[in-house]
Amino acid sequence: MARGHHSHLCSPSVSVNRTITRPSSVEDPLLRPSVSGSSMWRTALVLLRFLALSLGSEAMTPQNCSLKCILQGGPRCEYCRITPEGSKALGFRSNGLFGSCVPWPCFQLLGEQDPHICQHYVHAPNNVTLEFVHDPNPSSDTLVVSWRPSYYGIAFLRGFQVSLQALGGTSVACQLFLFHRNLSLTASDAQKVYKSDPFPSLPLGSQYAVTVMALPVPERWEKFYQSKIFSTRSCAEKNGLDRCKKDWYPTFIQVHQGEREVTVTFNLAPSDMGIRSYFCWCYANGKKTYMTLAPDLSRNQTHHSYHLKDLQEGTNYTCEIAANEVDAVRKVFSFQTGHVNRDRPATHSVTGSLALAVPLGVLLAAIVVVLAVLVARRRRSTWKNALTTKPDIIRQHQESQAQEEAASPPSGRSSPPRLLICYSGCEGAAHVKAVMQLGAFIQQHMATQVCLDLWDTLGVAVEGSLSWYCRQIRDSNFILVICSHGLIAKPAEDDSDADKRTDQESDTLYSDVVIQLVREEVGRAKARGHDLSKYMTATFEYSDERDVPIELRLVPHYSLTTDLPLLFSHLHGVALHRPGGYVKISHISEEGFIKLPAGMALQKAIDEAAAAKRARH
């Protein structure tokens, strides 16, 4: 348990500030004799402060240090990288569950030699920035993390630990950096920029969470680390659009309109991509036109032109053009057709007969206008009678148009809803993988912030499983319980199975206790008449509703992946149907989600879990 108090938090920086700063209101007798001497000393003081800040803003890169240098101190081991072999030589004992990625407690890092140092708190680093450096592999990125230490508790700072975790996965990469024993930082050192070693081979287009921690970690403290979620660059961002077949799309499109047709010219993909054909979709007034384009590369290898024929006059067209490849990026362009002038203008000069015909034409036009007004009045009365006598015709027309309408969901929410996913690890590793893939899909494509214990192993290790779950239940907007057979029945095990089960528990964080807490919360809320919309249950294809505990049958239930649109409706409070329209979200529909990479991974994980369940039975 920590013996520190919050009163120690600011004491180091206060004492340091007294030594390097001087209030402007204090008058020094030595500076009184002359105004020029006062100005000279003030200028020198400003220059010294500027020099200190400029020296403090230097970048600190990790050094290779010997064990002797770290223990005894020296100028060559001011900021040292610690390898796994070095951590064992220093006497650190890592936890087998998380390897070297659990922050070293204060007493384990420094408590044996100086127990009093663990009574002080070290604040989290500031200005955490991410920089992608050169990586020769075109399909991966390399990341370097930089930061600045905080003023608070800087005199007791002994090093940093940087961890990188892939969202939707369990892989964690960690780097440990320590100062030598005799080094004590001052407030001016808070301007220094510390850098990590490169994190190489990060796949393009992936999401990660990076965490920078200040060491030593006290026994009770919540502000010792700083985290950021980021995505690696896409192939086009790193290598350029012309070197990425998956991300390529036409960047030059020119539309030339004639009297009877429209000519479209676009740029072709580089020849080394191997793209030989393209396609074009055009939409107008509910009609779609599809064309396959096969350019003749022997005539032109950079651009191709094609013709759009049989177009309607005075109509707005929206077209998409892309390479004829799977998941190709489509380029959208629009144009409007004009009206064709079918009458040729006369070129004859004005003659005397034409001059006589003008007044006659004006008279005839006046007569036609009068007749048109009379006919319009008569038709107006006829239309009124028709509208009052046949309202079913209008209603039928409106309903036919409403069937084609797609209403968009409201976007007034300031921040995405927070969803906590609970599950049982007793179902096996395949079931846990399916849960993780579901969380990744919901976070990427359903505008929801997902909380999953396997994605925050650091927070679970620091707070403890029960404390972490209780905080997430309190802070989350929704709680989704993935029900499986392991929730309501656990098979009997012999000794060998028990040993295997123990090994499995060491690799997976189970939430059975939390599910029991959720069941009690649901029962208590139902008894008090409270709203139960915060809680939901779901089952995958290999489970059924009998796997839902009795207490949780009071809350909404969804069968995944069939009910993904209903789950989206619940999370965002969007009605899927309304009078005259409906919400259509193609990428989370039962047929559309499989077209996304995250949806394909989710379906594959569900199939593997179903196969594993069949193999057990």
Side-chain angles (χ1 to χ4, degrees):
M1 304 296 292
R3 298 190 296 271
H5 303 282
H6 288 279
S7 59
H8 296 84
L9 182 61
C10 300
S11 57
S13 56
V14 171
S15 61
V16 173
N17 287 336
R18 287 176 180 174
T19 62
I20 67 172
T21 61
R22 181 172 187 156
S24 60
S25 61
V26 177
E27 187 175 2
D28 195 335
L30 297 178
L31 302 180
R32 291 180 182 174
S34 65
V35 178
S36 61
S38 176
S39 301
M40 180 182 66
W41 280 104
R42 189 176 293 108
T43 304
L45 181 60
V46 172
L47 290 176
L48 287 176
R49 289 181 178 177
F50 177 77
L51 181 61
L53 291 176
S54 62
L55 292 176
S57 61
E58 59 181 331
M60 303 292 295
T61 57
Q63 303 168 309
N64 290 320
C65 310
S66 63
L67 176 61
K68 180 179 178 181
C69 186
I70 296 176
L71 296 177
Q72 297 181 1
R76 297 184 178 180
C77 52
E78 180 179 353
Y79 180 52
C80 305
R81 64 170 60 91
I82 306 299
T83 61
E85 294 77 12
S87 63
K88 294 180 181 178
L90 290 173
F92 300 154
R93 299 176 298 276
S94 62
N95 190 331
L97 180 60
F98 302 104
S100 62
C101 293
V102 170
W104 300 108
C106 180
F107 288 105
Q108 185 176 359
L109 185 64
L110 298 171
E112 297 179 358
Q113 297 186 4
D114 189 3
H116 299 289
I117 199 174
C118 298
Q119 299 179 4
H120 302 273
Y121 290 153
V122 181
H123 205 278
N126 300 322
N127 300 333
V128 177
T129 58
L130 310 176
E131 178 185 3
F132 293 107
V133 297
H134 174 70
D135 190 334
N137 188 352
S139 61
S140 64
D141 252 333
T142 298
L143 175 74
V144 173
V145 186
S146 60
W147 63 91
R148 290 183 179 179
S150 174
Y151 289 99
Y152 302 108
I154 192 172
F156 305 97
L157 182 65
R158 306 312 308 156
F160 305 96
Q161 181 168 302
V162 185
S163 62
L164 184 70
Q165 182 176 11
L167 296 184
T170 58
S171 60
V172 181
C174 294
Q175 297 178 7
L176 178 64
F177 309 101
L178 296 179
F179 307 139
H180 64 73
R181 299 285 186 182
N182 300 329
L183 180 64
S184 179
L185 302 182
T186 62
S188 61
D189 293 321
Q191 299 298 325
K192 290 183 179 180
V193 177
Y194 290 85
K195 290 190 174 184
S196 70
D197 284 326
F199 288 95
S201 303
L202 305 180
L204 298 180
S206 303
Q207 283 189 321
Y208 291 89
V210 62
T211 303
V212 183
M213 293 171 285
L215 301 179
V217 177
E219 299 300 310
R220 288 184 179 179
W221 186 232
E222 297 180 354
K223 300 180 180 179
F224 65 91
Y225 68 92
Q226 195 75 259
S227 296
K228 274 191 174 183
I229 295 179
F230 70 97
S231 298
T232 54
R233 294 175 293 181
S234 64
C235 178
E237 291 173 340
K238 179 182 179 181
N239 306 312
L241 188 63
D242 291 341
R243 300 184 60 184
C244 301
K245 182 176 181 179
K246 182 179 180 181
D247 299 327
W248 184 90
Y249 62 90
T251 57
F252 173 82
I253 295 180
Q254 187 179 53
V255 179
H256 177 72
Q257 184 173 353
E259 290 188 356
R260 302 291 180 178
E261 61 185 17
V262 169
T263 303
V264 180
T265 303
F266 67 97
N267 64 301
L268 302 177
S271 57
D272 54 357
M273 286 189 181
I275 299 177
R276 297 293 180 264
S277 63
Y278 305 81
F279 69 88
C280 176
W281 278 99
C282 286
Y283 312 85
N285 298 331
K287 296 182 180 180
K288 301 179 181 180
T289 304
Y290 177 81
M291 294 180 60
T292 301
L293 310 175
D296 186 1
L297 300 180
S298 61
R299 299 180 57 186
N300 194 333
Q301 295 185 357
T302 60
H303 293 81
H304 177 69
S305 299
Y306 63 97
H307 303 286
L308 297 175
K309 301 179 180 181
D310 300 329
L311 302 178
Q312 301 177 7
E313 297 180 11
T315 304
N316 290 321
Y317 281 86
T318 301
C319 299
E320 298 177 353
I321 185 171
N324 197 5
E325 302 286 340
V326 178
D327 293 335
V329 180
R330 303 182 181 186
K331 177 68 174 179
V332 181
F333 64 96
S334 302
F335 63 89
Q336 181 178 8
T337 58
H339 294 276
V340 178
N341 187 8
R342 296 180 175 84
D343 297 329
R344 296 292 180 181
T347 58
H348 302 287
S349 59
V350 180
T351 60
S353 59
L354 181 60
L356 294 177
V358 170
L360 182 59
V362 172
L363 180 61
L364 293 176
I367 297 174
V368 171
V369 170
V370 173
L371 294 177
V373 171
L374 296 176
V375 172
R377 289 181 178 178
R378 186 171 183 179
R379 287 184 178 180
R380 187 179 306 168
S381 60
T382 305
W383 289 344
K384 289 183 179 180
N385 295 333
L387 290 176
T388 55
T389 56
K390 297 183 179 180
D392 53 337
I393 298 178
I394 299 176
R395 189 182 305 110
Q396 182 180 0
H397 176 70
Q398 293 177 347
E399 291 178 355
S400 64
Q401 288 185 341
Q403 294 175 359
E404 298 293 333
E405 180 183 0
S408 58
S411 57
R413 185 186 294 272
S414 59
S415 60
R418 187 182 180 96
L419 172 67
L420 172 64
I421 299 181
C422 302
Y423 62 97
S424 173
C426 301
E427 202 70 27
H431 176 69
V432 175
K433 180 180 179 182
V435 173
M436 293 174 58
Q437 295 295 345
L438 173 64
F441 181 84
I442 293 177
Q443 179 151 306
Q444 292 180 21
H445 300 290
M446 296 179 65
T448 303
Q449 181 183 357
V450 176
C451 301
L452 198 60
D453 55 357
L454 290 175
W455 293 357
D456 192 14
T457 53
L458 174 63
V460 175
V462 172
E463 299 183 39
S465 300
L466 190 58
S467 299
W468 185 89
Y469 274 114
C470 290
R471 181 172 62 85
Q472 297 296 340
I473 292 176
R474 182 182 67 252
D475 298 341
S476 298
N477 302 109
F478 299 97
I479 299 174
L480 177 63
V481 179
I482 305 298
C483 299
S484 60
H485 186 66
L487 280 181
I488 57 177
K490 299 182 179 179
E493 300 171 338
D494 54 16
D495 296 338
S496 60
D497 292 338
D499 295 338
K500 295 179 181 179
R501 177 66 178 273
T502 303
D503 296 337
Q504 185 179 4
E505 288 180 353
S506 64
D507 297 331
T508 308
L509 293 177
Y510 297 154
S511 55
D512 296 341
V513 177
V514 179
I515 295 178
Q516 182 63 31
L517 292 176
V518 174
R519 294 165 66 175
E520 295 177 0
E521 287 292 330
V522 170
R524 189 178 299 110
K526 180 64 177 178
R528 296 176 179 178
H530 293 172
D531 185 18
L532 300 179
S533 61
K534 180 177 181 178
Y535 306 95
M536 299 173 287
T537 61
T539 53
F540 289 123
E541 298 172 358
Y542 51 84
S543 303
D544 52 38
E545 295 187 2
R546 293 177 298 180
D547 296 331
V548 181
I550 296 178
E551 298 89 341
L552 297 183
R553 295 179 184 177
L554 301 173
V555 302
H557 173 76
Y558 302 105
S559 298
L560 303 178
T561 56
T562 305
D563 293 339
L564 282 176
L566 297 178
L567 179 60
F568 179 86
S569 172
H570 191 132
L571 292 173
H572 294 275
V574 178
L576 295 181
H577 297 276
R578 63 175 177 81
Y582 61 92
V583 174
K584 182 179 180 181
I585 309 175
S586 58
H587 67 275
I588 63 173
S589 63
E590 187 175 1
E591 304 83 7
F593 87 98
I594 200 69
K595 299 178 182 179
L596 300 173
M600 178 65 72
L602 172 60
Q603 187 60 51
K604 182 179 179 181
I606 293 175
D607 295 340
E608 292 176 354
K613 182 177 181 180
R614 289 192 299 268
R616 289 196 305 268
H617 297 290

